[in-house]
Amino acid sequence: MEDLKEQQSQSHAEDDENEIVTENTAFVHGEPLQDTVGPPKVDSEMEILHEKVKKQIIKEGHGHKPSKYSTCFLHYRAWAESTNHKFDDTWHEQQPLELVLGKEKKEMTGLAMGVSSMKSGERALLHVGWELGYGKEGSFSFPNVPPMADILYEVELIGFDETKEGKARGDMTVEERIGAADRRKMDGNSLFKEDKLEEAMQQYEMAIAYMGDDFMFQLFGKYRDMALAVKNPCHLNMAACLIKLKRYEEAIGHCSIVLSEDENNVKAMFRRGKARAELGQTDAAREDFQKAQKYAPEDKAIARELRMLAEHDKAIYERQKEIYKGIFGPRPEPKPKRSGWLIRLWEWLLSLFYFIFRRERVKAD
């Protein structure tokens, strides 16, 4: 099983020789988007792609654009422009759309035109007229889409496969899908080594998209093992990229997906622990590191992380001691009682009067 070699500065658990290391693409590629009330406000220039399709770029992409019959993988949100009602969201559903250009459904004609003008990694706002959307009747599936509704799409093109025949994932054999995913993983690894993290994540996301839940549920025995040998490293490598980008919550999610399939995966436990430690979740991080250490007791990176957690806890304890000391102050020492000369004189006089009183009383008796 192939996976990434990591930088020592990242303290990722690995052996000297080999690293110890969805339809669900469970995480948004690129900077996580906020689920806003309406479509995003975009100030960039309006590009006219067609009389009924206009585009505004939110984030530039890279490379070339997909050609006809390319299999494109994308995330999008869709609103009816007249009402600003959102009616579809693949980010929320945690499942990217697979779109073969030139073979799209009629209601996605305008969306496909927009996607064909985009580069991998590009994010854009598309304005699509009703004629190239859901038409005169609107949508039965989406009641929020009224008749003759112009549509706004916020789209991100994750990536695409150039195939002359336009072969979709569903038409591929098991071996073809696993092979296509493995090629994406290899491309991602090369980009990771060049520190092109965003582009690497695009490749890993596309590889994961080839092996979604609907596909994995059908696999048993050696085919399932073959698929997991590609899929799990993609999740782990996504986690490595996300940790570098300080997107720790997403890294935790990818590691958890791997652990749901392989509960003793040392690399997944280690990276999840590292992300949790960065978020200040020290107890959960320690639990991950300790479990990883059970299966890799000689791993120096794991021991180092546990030592750093212990030092962190000690530093917090010492800091709290100082804070409480400052609030309450040191406990006062009991002071010895000091009698003044007046008190001593008064005590002597009382003793004298008592002595005289006793003596006179004895004489009277």
Side-chain angles (χ1 to χ4, degrees):
M1 188 193 311
E2 184 172 344
D3 203 353
L4 294 178
K5 293 289 182 182
E6 305 221 89
Q7 302 295 328
Q8 289 182 352
S9 60
Q10 286 185 263
S11 303
H12 293 291
E14 56 183 57
D15 283 339
D16 290 335
E17 297 178 2
N18 298 304
E19 282 197 283
I20 305 174
V21 271
T22 16
E23 199 123 51
N24 177 21
T25 299
F27 303 92
V28 180
H29 169 70
E31 185 177 346
L33 302 174
Q34 300 298 318
D35 191 2
T36 53
V37 175
K41 305 296 183 186
V42 184
D43 298 326
S44 61
E45 184 180 349
M46 187 82 72
E47 182 182 351
I48 298 174
L49 307 176
H50 179 275
E51 183 184 0
K52 298 296 179 182
V53 183
K54 302 176 181 67
K55 182 179 84 167
Q56 291 176 281
I57 295 176
I58 299 172
K59 185 187 77 172
E60 295 285 352
H62 56 85
H64 61 282
K65 299 172 184 178
S67 58
K68 191 173 182 180
Y69 300 129
S70 292
T71 301
C72 299
F73 300 94
L74 55 130
H75 274 302
Y76 72 91
R77 292 191 179 111
W79 294 263
E81 188 168 13
S82 60
T83 61
N84 272 359
H85 283 157
K86 184 171 69 174
F87 63 88
D88 202 5
D89 187 342
T90 64
W91 276 293
H92 180 73
E93 294 167 3
Q94 298 186 344
Q95 183 165 319
L97 173 71
E98 176 187 354
L99 184 69
V100 179
L101 298 181
K103 295 188 175 183
E104 67 277 350
K105 296 177 182 177
K106 184 179 178 182
E107 64 269 21
M108 290 193 168
T109 303
L111 175 61
M113 283 185 182
V115 170
S116 67
S117 74
M118 297 173 68
K119 300 175 181 179
S120 293
E122 182 178 326
R123 191 181 302 156
L125 183 67
L126 300 178
H127 304 252
V128 176
W130 63 266
E131 297 89 342
L132 300 180
Y134 289 87
K136 283 186 178 181
E137 304 299 324
S139 173
F140 178 77
S141 301
F142 300 111
N144 284 341
V145 182
M148 301 176 67
D150 294 337
I151 306 297
L152 290 174
Y153 289 102
E154 181 183 6
V155 185
E156 179 170 356
L157 179 59
I158 299 169
F160 56 89
D161 279 331
E162 294 279 14
T163 50
K164 292 180 180 178
E165 67 276 15
K167 199 170 190 179
R169 286 172 294 176
D171 299 328
M172 292 181 176
T173 65
V174 170
E175 290 88 348
E176 285 175 332
R177 281 182 77 156
I178 294 174
D182 192 50
R183 287 191 294 276
R184 288 291 179 181
K185 186 196 78 172
M186 297 288 286
D187 290 343
N189 289 357
S190 298
L191 290 164
F192 182 91
K193 290 172 184 175
E194 296 173 20
D195 209 33
K196 297 178 179 178
L197 303 182
E198 294 283 352
E199 295 174 39
M201 286 197 297
Q202 289 172 359
Q203 298 302 316
Y204 296 138
E205 261 202 301
M206 288 183 65
I208 292 167
Y210 274 107
M211 293 175 293
D213 290 341
D214 61 339
F215 176 65
M216 296 299 294
F217 287 151
Q218 302 172 39
L219 302 183
F220 299 94
K222 71 171 186 177
Y223 286 115
R224 185 171 181 81
D225 291 340
M226 287 168 59
L228 288 175
V230 177
K231 183 174 182 283
N232 282 350
C234 287
H235 283 297
L236 291 171
N237 295 346
M238 281 286 289
C241 293
L242 291 163
I243 288 171
K244 272 194 163 189
L245 294 170
K246 302 186 188 304
R247 289 163 52 187
Y248 303 117
E249 292 284 3
E250 293 171 85
I252 289 168
H254 279 283
C255 294
S256 296
I257 289 173
V258 174
L259 289 168
S260 70
E261 293 282 359
D262 179 8
E263 63 180 356
N264 298 328
N265 190 294
V266 173
K267 180 172 286 187
M269 287 184 277
F270 178 84
R271 290 185 183 168
R272 189 171 71 176
K274 189 147 182 70
R276 284 173 164 173
E278 294 288 352
L279 289 173
Q281 301 170 5
T282 53
D283 290 340
R286 186 180 294 104
E287 186 178 339
D288 278 336
F289 290 139
Q290 287 173 342
K291 189 172 180 183
Q293 196 172 51
K294 275 176 56 180
Y295 297 99
E298 304 300 321
D299 193 288
K300 294 179 181 178
I302 297 172
R304 182 169 57 249
E305 292 296 332
L306 283 168
R307 188 167 59 251
M308 287 170 64
L309 278 181
E311 291 170 357
H312 173 76
D313 290 346
K314 183 179 178 182
I316 289 177
Y317 173 73
E318 293 296 333
R319 200 155 55 241
Q320 288 175 339
K321 269 178 59 177
E322 289 299 316
I323 290 170
Y324 291 135
K325 184 178 177 181
I327 293 172
F328 300 110
R331 185 173 179 176
E333 295 292 332
K335 296 180 180 179
K337 293 182 179 178
R338 294 185 298 171
S339 299
W341 65 272
L342 287 173
I343 295 173
R344 288 198 299 273
L345 176 61
W346 176 249
E347 289 174 345
W348 180 79
L349 288 172
L350 284 175
S351 299
L352 179 62
F353 288 144
Y354 180 74
F355 173 74
I356 294 170
F357 172 77
R358 292 273 297 177
R359 189 177 64 177
E360 293 299 321
R361 188 169 179 179
V362 169
K363 285 180 180 181
D365 291 343

